[in-house]
Amino acid sequence: MESLLVLIGLVVLAIPVSIVALLIGQSRLRKRVEQLERQLAGELPESDLETPGPSKPELPVAKPKPAPWAAAKTLPAADEGQPEEQEKSESDEPPATIVFREERLAALGAWLRENWFYAVSALSLALAGIFLVQYGAENGLLPPTARVIAALVFGALLIGAGEVIRRRFGDDEGSTTAYLPSVFSGAGLVTLFGGVLAARQLYDLIGPEAGLAGLVVIALFGLVLGWFHGPLLAAVGLVGAFAAPFVVGGSSDDPSWLYGYFFIIAVVGLGIDTVRRWAWISVLTLVGVYGAAFLLVLSSPSTEAGYLICVTALAFIATAIPVRRIWPNHSGPMIAEMIRRRNGDPWPEFPTRLAFGAVLVSSVILTLHWPDSSSEFWLGITLSTGLILALIFWSRDARALQDVTVLPALGLIWFVLVHGLDGGAVWHRFAETYAETAEADYPWSVTLLAALGASITLLAAWRSFQGGRYAVVWAAAAAMFAPVLAIALEVGWQPAEVIGAYAWALHAVALGVMMVVLAERSARVDGDDRMRPALATLSALSCLSFACIIVLSSAALTIALVAMIVVATALDRRFELPPMSWFIWAGVFTVIVRLVLDPGLNWAENAPLIEMTLVYAASVVGFVIGWALLKPLDRPMASLLLESAAWATAGILLSLLLLRWLESFGEGGATDSHWGLGLLAVIWLLLAFAQVQRFKLGGKLNYVRYVLAAFFAAHGVFRLAQALSDANPLLNPFADPVLGSPVLNTLAVAYLLPAVAIGFLTWRIVSSPVLLKQISYGVATILAAVWLGLVIRHVWQGAGGMYEGNGVTQPELYTYTITLLVVGAALFYQSFARRSDLMRKAGLAVIGLAVAKVFLIDIAGLGGLIRVFSLLALGLALAGLAWLNRWAQLRHAPQGSEPLDH
């Protein structure tokens, strides 16, 4: 059996040797054929042939096909520290530094189809070396030390063979031995890596320190080889090096040292490519190391700490090595600038894209990993923070990397938020601080995280003070990061429930004080440029508003937010800070949401009357004061927001006061009475017309305003439909009764008040669309007509006889006729006074309705003198209107009218 195993091993080793021999023989034969072709074409004398032979027939000259990788790029002397040379491309063509272009992938496929045996040869040789260290492990045919030594010797022989071939025959694409040196040397490097890994991981012959030292030496040696060989060596060495730990196998109590091995391989791959500039080798390196590290942490979850450190370190070397500088200096455009790229603008350089991709992947890994313990949570916080600080401070000379900082910054905020929402280890320890004893030590977790956010904000502000094209963007980042992190803590961790509302609010106040200091320093530095001071001031106001949210009640919070809006307008008036308009917009939106939705109208219906009145009245006064302060300034958006909000809030306040007063009678309510539904409809319609008034601001936000206006209007129309149907005392005998005296009663609240509100707002908002105006006037007219008819019935029938099943009295029927005639006459007269053809047609329609009513209803329903008076009134009214029409025509006609018998 042992002899059979030895025979099998020899056969395995003979396969790559045979392939190598065949390749060398084939390469010599190809070289001989090429010489013959050139000699027959007259390019070479017959004496230059290696071996004389008989003459051959003329053959076409075959040109070698290029490999799927570009030749190494040579940097100009002036750009020694810069990434690869920028190539201008047309707007519809990809940049030259895009690695996986369609033509390159096609070239790679064509190369593999023709030269697949090189890849197979490299794989076979590498596996032969790795299996050599495992040969006979189960049967003990060779001692472990001998297996490792044999592997190392075999690897050295392969590298030596590759160097001999390269020096003697060459390795360029035009030589007959092209790619063979890379095949031998790459397989030799993989064998060396496998030998050291086996000595450490499989046989435990050396410790982790000696293993890493050996791997470093081999990696440095491979780095030197890579500088002289083609990219095939680098590709073979990288793939084999990443696969070697998984092929070798074995077990270890703590395989964390393999992350150091993967990191070394990454340095080797990036180091080779930073000189040769193949670009795709760098991509292959990062993909391989991220993938190998991920597979390792999946198989050994206990090594997650080493995994996180490794992926963070990868972001650093992927930033520094491609530009060959300790302090990165990436130039050219940023990735974010490609969002608004114009034709002819340059693309980001390859090192910029490589750094962006590495930071993105590392940030995602740090953000999404789940810490099983407090130490892992703080490790993740530390690594994310270190990456943020490095990108702010370390890469300050790299213009093209400024936007990369947002990746770990957003990741850190999300990591903190999710840890609280999902009940992580640190959050659980924080939440249970005072569960057993009220005298426990103060939990510092939230305070440390808030201080961390403040530190990052200060560094971003420092970056802004350094100047540059994006100084304002850095100022905006400084103004936002700490408050947003504090909000994430509030949402995910709810610190007020543990340390108390006032203690947590002090954190927000401290952030606000810091923002005030930044605003003062920015104002001192910038002079007349108010952008950065405005951003810091906005952040300070937001922090103070956040503190108010934490400690104040619902009513006090709304008033405090209104006060913040007034302060923002006053600051804008005093210091001319246009960005305050955005804070005013957010403040108005928040206050309206609180007044209508949360705590909203439900709170307003049940809260003490004085408290409710104070909140809504303070909001109206605050909006008016803000509007007055901004009136001298050119702030169209903020002014219109405040004006429309003031009108809407004032209408809501009056509606609520009327609602509360009617509810004091103890009959009906806001949910089912006709007057309650009418008041609710007025409130929603006020909000809808407030959005309509803002249509003239234009911009993309108009789509949001359209949606809000439709939403509010739909609520209002739905309430009106309920008031006209289910809650209408004319149609429902069980509806709430009409309260009040004739004319001045709840019918006016339910139907006339919405009609007046719709008509007034439509008339006041001049910029509203014509179709909307026509619809609104039509709805207002219908509501007014309904109210008038119900009032007439209430006058003759009283509150108890409103239901239509009680019939119609003759005086009531006669009143309807007279009313129609009066309304029609008024419209008819106004049509001549205003020269409105539309009003004339409306008057004729009303008069026609009265005529039809008299002849179809009144003659049959009326009796005695009432029928006589009804017909008499109709005849006199029609005669009078005919005279009025004749008089108007004679007065306004350009010539006299023709006689009737003409």
Side-chain angles (χ1 to χ4, degrees):
M1 186 64 181
E2 293 180 0
S3 301
L4 180 60
L5 291 175
V6 172
L7 180 60
I8 293 174
L10 293 176
V11 171
V12 171
L13 290 178
I15 292 175
V17 174
S18 302
I19 292 176
V20 170
L22 291 173
L23 288 175
I24 294 177
Q26 190 269 347
S27 65
R28 289 180 176 177
L29 179 60
R30 186 175 64 178
K31 183 177 180 181
R32 174 64 179 170
V33 170
E34 289 178 354
Q35 289 177 340
L36 288 173
E37 291 173 348
R38 294 173 63 186
Q39 191 269 333
L40 292 174
E43 297 180 4
L44 281 178
E46 187 175 354
S47 58
D48 288 344
L49 296 177
E50 287 185 357
T51 304
S55 60
K56 302 290 183 180
E58 184 174 352
L59 296 174
V61 179
K63 295 182 180 179
K65 295 184 178 180
W69 42 76
K73 293 181 173 62
T74 304
L75 294 177
D79 292 337
E80 185 62 27
Q82 297 294 327
E84 62 188 84
E85 182 180 358
Q86 181 73 30
E87 295 184 14
K88 295 183 179 180
S89 59
E90 299 296 332
S91 59
D92 57 346
E93 294 182 359
T97 50
I98 288 182
V99 178
F100 297 109
R101 299 202 303 271
E102 183 178 356
E103 59 269 22
R104 286 198 175 185
L105 294 177
L108 176 61
W111 186 88
L112 288 176
R113 286 193 300 271
E114 184 174 341
N115 302 282
W116 58 269
F117 39 79
Y118 289 109
V120 174
S121 175
L123 175 64
S124 180
L125 291 172
L127 290 176
I130 292 177
F131 288 151
L132 183 62
V133 301
Q134 293 181 307
Y135 175 71
E138 293 81 4
N139 300 298
L141 298 180
L142 293 174
T145 304
R147 300 171 200 157
V148 171
I149 293 175
L152 295 177
V153 171
F154 183 62
L157 290 176
L158 290 176
I159 294 175
E163 278 299 295
V164 170
I165 296 174
R166 185 183 69 84
R167 292 175 180 273
R168 183 173 180 181
F169 302 104
D171 192 22
D172 57 300
E173 296 179 8
S175 63
T176 58
T177 57
Y179 314 128
L180 285 179
S182 296
V183 167
F184 282 95
S185 298
L189 283 176
V190 175
T191 304
L192 293 179
F193 281 126
V196 176
L197 287 171
R200 169 69 191 104
Q201 189 169 328
L202 193 62
Y203 304 121
D204 201 19
L205 297 176
I206 56 178
E209 297 81 4
L212 278 179
L215 294 173
V216 168
V217 172
I218 297 172
L220 292 175
F221 182 58
L223 183 64
V224 175
L225 284 179
W227 289 340
F228 292 100
H229 286 259
L232 184 60
L233 167 64
V236 170
L238 288 173
V239 174
F242 289 133
F246 304 99
V247 176
V248 169
S251 61
S252 176
D253 296 334
D254 183 17
S256 298
W257 65 279
L258 284 175
Y259 294 115
Y261 164 72
F262 293 139
F263 180 78
I264 292 172
I265 300 303
V267 172
V268 171
L270 294 174
I272 292 174
D273 205 36
T274 191
V275 176
R276 302 305 298 269
R277 300 294 180 186
W278 290 305
W280 67 275
I281 291 296
S282 295
V283 176
L284 178 65
T285 299
L286 292 180
V287 171
V289 72
Y290 277 117
F294 180 70
L295 292 176
L296 179 59
V297 76
L298 284 181
S299 60
S300 301
S302 61
T303 64
E304 187 171 3
Y307 173 65
L308 297 178
I309 295 173
C310 177
V311 296
T312 305
L314 287 177
F316 283 93
I317 63 173
T319 303
I321 292 180
V323 293
R324 300 200 296 269
R325 291 180 65 93
I326 297 178
W327 297 88
N329 65 340
H330 297 64
S331 60
M334 299 183 295
I335 298 295
E337 291 177 319
M338 294 299 99
I339 298 176
R340 302 181 63 181
R341 181 179 179 271
R342 296 172 299 182
N343 292 341
D345 289 348
W347 287 82
E349 297 177 346
F350 175 74
T352 300
R353 300 199 300 275
L354 192 71
F356 186 92
V359 173
L360 174 62
V361 175
S362 297
S363 299
V364 170
I365 292 173
L366 292 174
T367 302
L368 298 183
H369 90 279
W370 176 252
D372 298 321
S373 61
S374 298
S375 59
E376 280 192 19
F377 171 80
W378 290 113
L379 176 63
I381 292 292
T382 302
L383 294 175
S384 296
T385 304
L387 193 55
I388 296 170
L389 299 183
L391 291 171
I392 294 176
F393 179 74
W394 176 56
S395 63
R396 65 183 184 274
D397 296 330
R399 177 206 175 279
L401 297 184
Q402 294 184 82
D403 59 339
V404 182
T405 314
V406 73
L407 301 176
L410 292 178
L412 177 61
I413 294 173
W414 182 258
F415 181 64
V416 171
L417 173 64
V418 172
H419 188 79
L421 292 176
D422 292 345
V426 177
W427 174 87
H428 184 75
R429 185 175 179 182
F430 170 78
E432 299 296 326
T433 301
Y434 300 109
E436 297 182 359
T437 174
E439 298 179 356
D441 294 335
Y442 177 83
W444 289 96
S445 302
V446 168
T447 304
L448 289 175
L449 292 172
L452 177 63
S455 302
I456 294 175
T457 281
L458 290 175
L459 273 178
W462 168 83
R463 183 69 180 267
S464 175
F465 288 137
Q466 300 301 305
R469 179 180 177 185
Y470 295 99
V472 174
V473 178
W474 282 105
M480 293 177 60
F481 185 82
V484 172
L485 183 60
I487 292 174
L489 288 170
E490 168 67 18
V491 174
W493 295 55
Q494 299 177 348
E497 297 182 2
V498 179
I499 62 177
Y502 287 96
W504 176 230
L506 285 176
H507 291 71
V509 172
L511 293 179
V513 171
M514 180 183 67
M515 294 303 174
V516 170
V517 174
L518 291 179
E520 186 275 333
R521 299 306 303 169
S522 299
R524 187 185 297 272
V525 172
D526 293 347
D528 294 335
D529 187 2
R530 302 293 186 182
M531 181 59 71
R532 291 195 296 185
L535 292 172
T537 305
L538 286 173
S539 182
L541 291 175
S542 301
C543 292
L544 295 179
S545 301
F546 181 48
C548 293
I549 292 173
I550 295 172
V551 298
L552 296 180
S553 62
S554 295
L557 175 58
T558 303
I559 296 175
L561 293 175
V562 173
M564 292 293 177
I565 295 173
V566 175
V567 171
T569 57
L571 289 173
D572 192 8
R573 173 71 177 270
R574 175 64 179 83
F575 299 106
E576 295 187 2
L577 304 174
M580 283 295 170
S581 295
W582 293 105
F583 181 84
I584 295 170
W585 178 87
V588 170
F589 177 79
T590 304
V591 170
I592 294 298
V593 168
R594 292 190 59 79
L595 294 178
V596 179
L597 298 178
D598 184 20
L601 300 176
N602 292 331
W603 173 85
E605 294 173 13
N606 302 303
L609 181 61
I610 296 177
E611 184 178 356
M612 183 275 293
T613 306
L614 178 63
V615 170
Y616 284 83
S619 300
V620 175
V621 173
F623 292 151
V624 172
I625 293 175
W627 174 77
L629 288 173
L630 292 183
K631 194 173 182 180
L633 304 178
D634 184 20
R635 304 288 187 269
M637 181 185 75
S639 297
L640 187 60
L641 285 172
L642 291 169
E643 181 185 2
S644 60
W647 279 102
T649 308
I652 293 173
L653 174 60
L654 294 176
S655 301
L656 289 172
L657 289 175
L658 184 57
L659 180 67
R660 297 290 293 267
W661 177 67
L662 291 172
E663 285 181 341
S664 65
F665 291 99
E667 297 185 46
T671 58
D672 53 5
S673 65
H674 55 277
W675 48 267
L677 293 169
L679 286 173
L680 287 177
V682 169
I683 292 174
W684 288 109
L685 290 174
L686 285 170
L687 295 172
F689 277 102
Q691 296 298 324
V692 173
Q693 187 177 3
R694 298 167 188 170
F695 284 174
K696 67 179 182 180
L697 292 175
K700 294 183 179 180
L701 283 179
N702 255 14
Y703 294 106
V704 179
R705 298 185 187 106
Y706 295 151
V707 174
L708 290 176
F711 175 78
F712 295 146
H715 274 68
V717 171
F718 176 72
R719 297 299 184 184
L720 282 177
Q722 287 182 308
L724 290 169
S725 56
D726 294 339
N728 191 341
L730 179 67
L731 303 178
N732 186 0
F734 304 104
D736 291 314
V738 179
L739 304 179
S741 61
V743 181
L744 298 177
N745 51 33
T746 54
L747 293 174
V749 177
Y751 307 111
L752 182 60
L753 182 61
V756 173
I758 294 173
F760 173 74
L761 292 172
T762 304
W763 167 79
R764 181 180 167 275
I765 303 174
V766 182
S767 60
S768 58
V770 176
L771 180 60
L772 181 60
K773 282 188 174 183
Q774 294 174 350
I775 294 175
S776 300
Y777 282 132
V779 172
T781 302
I782 293 173
L783 290 174
V786 170
W787 167 78
L788 185 58
L790 291 175
V791 165
I792 293 173
R793 185 167 182 81
H794 182 258
V795 169
W796 291 107
Q797 299 279 3
M802 292 296 296
Y803 181 53
E804 54 88 17
N806 295 328
V808 182
T809 64
Q810 290 190 8
E812 179 186 351
L813 196 61
Y814 180 70
T815 305
Y816 291 137
T817 302
I818 298 299
T819 302
L820 287 174
L821 289 174
V822 172
V823 171
L827 290 172
F828 200 71
Y829 174 77
Q830 287 295 320
S831 68
F832 292 111
R834 299 176 180 270
R835 296 186 179 182
S836 173
D837 186 62
L838 179 63
M839 293 185 68
R840 184 178 63 84
K841 291 179 180 179
L844 291 174
V846 174
I847 293 170
L849 181 62
V851 172
K853 178 181 179 297
V854 168
F855 285 98
L856 297 178
I857 299 176
D858 291 0
I859 292 178
L862 298 178
L865 291 177
I866 295 181
R867 179 188 300 174
V868 174
F869 283 122
S870 178
L871 293 172
L872 179 62
L874 176 62
L876 293 175
L878 291 176
L881 289 174
W883 172 83
L884 179 63
N885 183 37
R886 182 73 173 177
W887 173 82
Q889 288 179 354
L890 291 175
R891 182 179 179 88
H892 300 291
Q895 60 184 12
S897 60
E898 298 179 355
L900 185 62
D901 58 351
H902 178 71

